[in-house]
């Protein structure tokens, strides 16, 4: 317990301390104001503008902004697909990895372009070093920068008045890469190398084990990919075991650092929003709502994992529902991290839309795995992905003030903008499209023989495996229940479609809201304005997320992890 509390306090404390200065830096960076990094990285930014013929001062309306963003990502899918297909004949392939089959290459390209990093292949054997560095790592940067651009565009729209433009997508993406993601990745790549994370262009190592057998150990440029994997909330691992692999996550220090990094930019964006709004309390209100949901989920997951399975108690102990498994549930976990480090990492990665794992979620207790699933189903707004997490929470904030307005009979307002039918319709579209993708995909999987055959387990746990797969894809998380064999055509195609819909059919309504709000006149707060920087608003926002998000999926959760929990405590075996 003390270890869990100490690690949690360190992570939360780091976010509280680092988020405000990062928020200021993000605001100044995307507004084109000089920062300490401008003198060093400004020439690189200007070089990109010259080469790509970008005028950063030329802003566009939301439709052009959205079209440009999607077109850029379509090109990214095509290029990454070709790289994955041709990697077998390209250089920087010391392990002689063959080109990926067509469906797998398409799934890989869609996965990394949508910031999902769902991997239907083993990292160390399915992608060459060239593909890892030039293709996957590049997309880790630009997909995160695209998410940043969407959030900044939405923030601008809320704080601008009577404007038909919301920004320049090319300048926003460039600044996100050059001033935010690149310097952080360089710094933390070096930190990871100092902690023992592997970084080499050498071929796989062949060693002789203590038993005299020969073993091949995969290695490569891991630290550089690990840094952007966490900072950009991407999650795709160089190795199949992801952050449970000692070459990716060797020490408790790197474990805690990775947790902080995957939450850092989403947390900083909340304070950037407060700075844009000219009221830091607005940003702290959003931050507080995210943090409260995070703490609730973390506490529940740790309690479930520490209690463990009553069927696996100490020898001679009375095997009742009140018995505690010795040492907690350690199945599928690294002893280096234990229940505390695994629960903290699991909560963070499913809250932050990252998808990296240091323990197998399939091996968690029903409630532990169920909470990881719920974090994704809530829309991944508990900090969420880089940019899209804040965008999702702001969507819920609009719904919260709409509900408050209905209660008091006034036109709802948020940050000085009146919220009307168009904004609410688009907000509900953004929420429902992701929910529909998850439930529709899971429902089809539950009646498709090929999908049912891919499960490791029958019954409620098998249903959770199917639901988690489409939640992870549709929510652009990328983590998986390890019991599901998702390499067949059904899941390869199904998750690809879910990732595309979950990313872009969410972004388009968000940018539509941005365009609508930017054109509105800002109005001063009056005595009848519901304060959106108060504790009452934080409670209403959390309630809205739980009611809209959780109740949408309650029937599916009831048939999966909840019923599995009751079977477990009753002494049943699935």
């Amino acid at each position: 317990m003390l270890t869990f509390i100490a690690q949690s306090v360190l992570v939360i404390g780091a976010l509280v301390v680092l988020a405000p200065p990062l928020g200021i830096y993000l605001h100044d960076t995307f507004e084109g104001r000089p920062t300490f990094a401008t003198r060093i990285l400004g020439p690189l930014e200007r070089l990109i503008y010259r080469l790509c013929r970008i005028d950063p001062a030329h802003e566009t309306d939301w439709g052009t902004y959205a079209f440009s963003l999607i077109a850029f990502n379509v090109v990214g899918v095509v290029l990454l697909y070709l790289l994955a297909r041709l990697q077998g004949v390209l250089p920087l392939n010391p392990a002689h990895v063959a080109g990926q089959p067509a469906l797998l290459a398409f799934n890989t390209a869609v996965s990394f372009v949508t910031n999902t990093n769902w991997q239907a292949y083993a990292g160390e054997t399915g992608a060459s070093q060239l593909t890892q560095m030039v293709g996957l790592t590049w997309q880790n940067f630009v997909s995160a920068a695209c998410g940043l651009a969407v959030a900044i565009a939405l923030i601008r729209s809320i704080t601008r008045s009577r404007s038909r433009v919301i920004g320049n997508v090319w300048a926003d993406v460039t600044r996100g890469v050059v001033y935010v993601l690149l310097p952080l990745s360089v710094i933390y790549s070096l930190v990871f190398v100092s902690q023992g994370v592997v970084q080499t262009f050498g071929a796989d190592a062949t060693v002789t084990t203590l038993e005299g057998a020969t073993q091949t150990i995969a290695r490569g440029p891991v630290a550089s990919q690990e840094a952007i994997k966490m900072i950009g909330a991407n999650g795709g691992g160089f190795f199949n075991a992801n952050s449970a692999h000692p070459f990716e996550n060797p020490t408790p220090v790197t474990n805690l650092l990775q947790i902080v990094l995957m939450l850092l930019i989403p947390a900083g964006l909340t304070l950037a929003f407060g700075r844009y709004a000219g009221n830091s309390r607005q940003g702290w209100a959003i931050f507080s709502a995210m943090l409260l949901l995070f703490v609730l989920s973390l506490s529940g997951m740790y309690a479930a994992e520490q209690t463990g399975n009553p069927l696996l108690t100490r020898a001679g102990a009375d095997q009742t529902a009140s018995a505690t498994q010795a040492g907690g549930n350690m199945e599928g976990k690294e002893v280096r991290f234990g229940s505390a480090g695994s629960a903290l990492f699991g909560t963070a990665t499913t809250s932050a839309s990252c998808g990296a794992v240091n323990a197998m979620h399939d091996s968690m207790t029903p409630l532990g795995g169920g909470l990881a699933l719920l974090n994704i189903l809530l829309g991944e707004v508990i900090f969420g992905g880089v940019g899209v997490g804040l965008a999702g929470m702001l969507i819920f904030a609009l719904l919260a003030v709409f509900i408050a307005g209905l209660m008091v009979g006034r036109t709802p307002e948020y940050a000085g903008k009146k919220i009307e039918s168009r904004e609410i319709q688009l907000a509900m579209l953004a929420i429902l499209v992701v929910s529909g993708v998850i439930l529709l995909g899971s429902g089809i999987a539950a009646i498709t023989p090929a999908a049912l055959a891919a499960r490791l387990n029958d019954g409620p746990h098998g249903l959770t495996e199917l639901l988690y797969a489409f939640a992870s894809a549709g929510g652009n998380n990328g983590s998986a229940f390890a019991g599901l064999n998702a390499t067949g055509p059904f899941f390869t195609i199904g998750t690809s479609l879910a990732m595309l819909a979950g990313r872009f059919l969410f972004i388009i309504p968000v940018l539509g809201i941005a365009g609508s709000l930017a054109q509105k006149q800002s109005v001063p707060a009056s005595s009848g304005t519901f304060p959106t920087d108060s504790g009452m608003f934080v409670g209403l926002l959390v309630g809205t997320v739980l009611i809209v998000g959780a109740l949408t999926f309650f029937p599916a959760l009831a048939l999966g992890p909840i019923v599995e929990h009751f079977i477990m405590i009753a002494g049943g075996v699935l």
Side-chain angles (χ1 to χ4, degrees):
M1 175 62 78
L2 291 177
T3 300
F4 169 70
I5 292 175
Q7 292 185 13
S8 301
V9 168
L10 283 173
V11 169
I12 294 172
L15 294 178
V16 171
V17 171
L18 296 175
L22 179 58
I24 295 172
Y25 178 74
L26 290 171
H27 170 269
D28 293 347
T29 293
F30 285 100
E31 287 306 291
R33 298 181 180 179
T35 66
F36 65 89
T38 307
R39 180 173 297 179
I40 301 172
L41 298 172
L44 175 59
E45 179 193 13
R46 292 189 291 272
L47 175 62
I48 294 173
Y49 291 158
R50 285 197 299 271
L51 292 176
C52 300
R53 298 183 180 180
I54 297 170
D55 178 7
H58 176 71
E59 298 189 353
T60 63
D61 60 18
W62 80 268
T64 304
Y65 197 102
F67 177 81
S68 300
L69 190 71
I70 293 173
F72 176 67
N73 283 277
V74 168
V75 173
V77 170
V78 173
L79 294 178
L80 184 52
Y81 171 82
L82 293 175
L83 180 60
R85 291 283 285 153
L86 299 173
Q87 65 182 2
V89 297
L90 295 174
L92 279 178
N93 188 11
H96 305 292
V97 178
Q100 293 185 356
L103 285 180
L104 178 59
F106 177 69
N107 184 272
T108 301
V110 167
S111 174
F112 280 81
V113 169
T114 59
N115 199 241
T116 308
N117 289 29
W118 171 278
Q119 291 175 282
Y121 62 92
E124 61 267 47
T125 59
S128 68
Q129 290 186 7
L130 181 69
T131 301
Q132 294 270 19
M133 290 188 303
V134 175
L136 307 187
T137 303
W138 163 255
Q139 283 301 330
N140 282 346
F141 277 96
V142 296
S143 65
C146 287
L148 266 174
V150 170
I152 294 298
L154 180 59
I155 293 172
R156 283 198 195 107
S157 73
I158 295 175
T159 55
R160 285 184 174 182
S161 182
R162 295 194 178 279
S163 173
R164 297 190 61 85
V165 295
I166 62 173
N168 183 314
V169 65
W170 307 115
D172 289 341
V173 170
T174 299
R175 287 167 179 162
V177 172
V178 171
Y179 290 113
V180 182
L181 300 171
L182 185 60
L184 285 174
S185 296
V186 171
I187 293 169
Y188 286 103
S189 294
L190 297 175
V191 173
F192 283 140
V193 169
S194 74
Q195 290 294 308
V197 178
V198 172
Q199 181 76 11
T200 179
F201 289 123
D204 295 348
T206 301
V207 300
T208 302
T209 66
L210 294 175
E211 294 84 5
T214 299
Q215 180 179 353
T216 299
I217 301 176
R219 56 182 184 171
V222 180
S224 55
Q225 184 167 325
E226 194 70 18
I228 186 58
K229 152 190 165 180
M230 293 301 177
I231 293 166
N234 297 285
F238 191 96
F239 298 101
N240 191 43
N242 208 280
S243 287
H245 198 293
F247 283 3
E248 285 197 28
N249 190 11
T251 68
V253 173
T254 59
N255 194 62
L256 285 176
L257 184 58
Q258 289 184 14
I259 294 170
V260 171
L261 287 181
M262 70 176 87
L263 299 171
L264 182 58
I265 294 179
L269 276 170
T270 63
L271 280 302
F273 168 64
R275 191 166 178 85
Y276 267 99
N279 180 2
S280 63
R281 289 171 58 89
Q282 293 278 5
W284 281 114
I286 299 295
F287 179 89
S288 299
M290 291 178 171
L291 185 60
L292 178 57
L293 289 166
F294 179 81
V295 171
L296 289 174
S297 177
L298 173 60
S299 301
M301 187 180 294
Y302 174 73
E305 293 306 300
Q306 190 61 32
T307 300
N309 190 331
L311 299 179
L312 301 173
T313 59
R314 293 185 179 89
D318 179 23
Q319 295 189 8
T320 66
S322 61
T324 300
Q325 183 180 350
N329 174 35
M330 284 299 295
E331 181 186 357
K333 295 183 176 63
E334 278 285 321
V335 294
R336 294 174 293 148
F337 310 131
S339 294
S342 299
L344 185 55
F345 200 105
T347 302
T349 193
T350 51
S351 297
S353 185
C354 181
V357 295
N358 75 345
M360 299 301 104
H361 294 180
D362 185 60
S363 298
M364 289 181 169
T365 61
L367 290 186
L371 284 169
L373 173 59
L374 179 61
N375 291 339
I376 303 174
L377 295 177
L378 289 178
E380 296 204 287
V381 295
I382 312 175
F383 295 107
V386 171
V388 291
L390 175 64
M393 187 57 94
L394 289 177
I395 293 297
F396 278 109
L398 298 183
L399 294 179
V401 296
F402 177 73
I403 294 170
L406 292 177
M407 291 178 179
V408 299
R410 286 181 57 89
T411 301
E413 299 173 12
Y414 187 64
K417 294 294 182 71
K418 290 187 179 295
I419 308 303
E420 298 173 304
S421 60
R422 176 175 170 79
E423 291 79 41
I424 296 302
Q425 289 168 0
L426 288 171
M428 290 308 303
L429 178 61
I431 292 173
L432 291 175
V433 70
V434 179
S435 302
V437 165
I438 295 170
L439 291 174
L440 182 62
S442 303
I444 294 174
I447 60 173
T448 303
L452 295 173
R455 298 169 303 163
L456 180 64
N457 301 273
D458 295 325
H461 193 84
L463 176 61
T464 304
E465 291 175 354
L466 299 177
L467 181 61
Y468 197 105
F470 281 95
S472 181
N476 300 134
N477 181 272
S479 63
F481 258 39
L484 184 72
N485 180 5
T487 59
F490 177 87
F491 284 106
T492 303
I493 297 173
T495 55
S496 297
L497 296 177
M499 287 184 282
L500 288 170
R503 180 73 165 181
F504 299 113
L505 295 186
F506 171 79
I507 284 177
I508 292 173
V510 168
L511 292 176
I513 293 172
S516 179
L517 290 177
Q519 297 181 54
K520 292 177 180 283
Q521 174 68 46
S522 296
V523 295
S526 66
S527 58
T529 301
F530 179 71
T532 54
D533 57 359
S534 64
M536 182 181 296
F537 174 72
V538 172
L540 178 61
L541 180 55
V542 170
T544 303
V545 171
L546 292 176
I547 291 171
V548 175
L551 291 186
T552 300
F553 297 98
F554 180 76
L557 292 169
L559 294 173
I562 294 176
V563 72
E564 184 184 0
H565 171 74
F566 285 112
I567 292 173
M568 182 187 73
I569 63 175
V573 178
L574 298 177

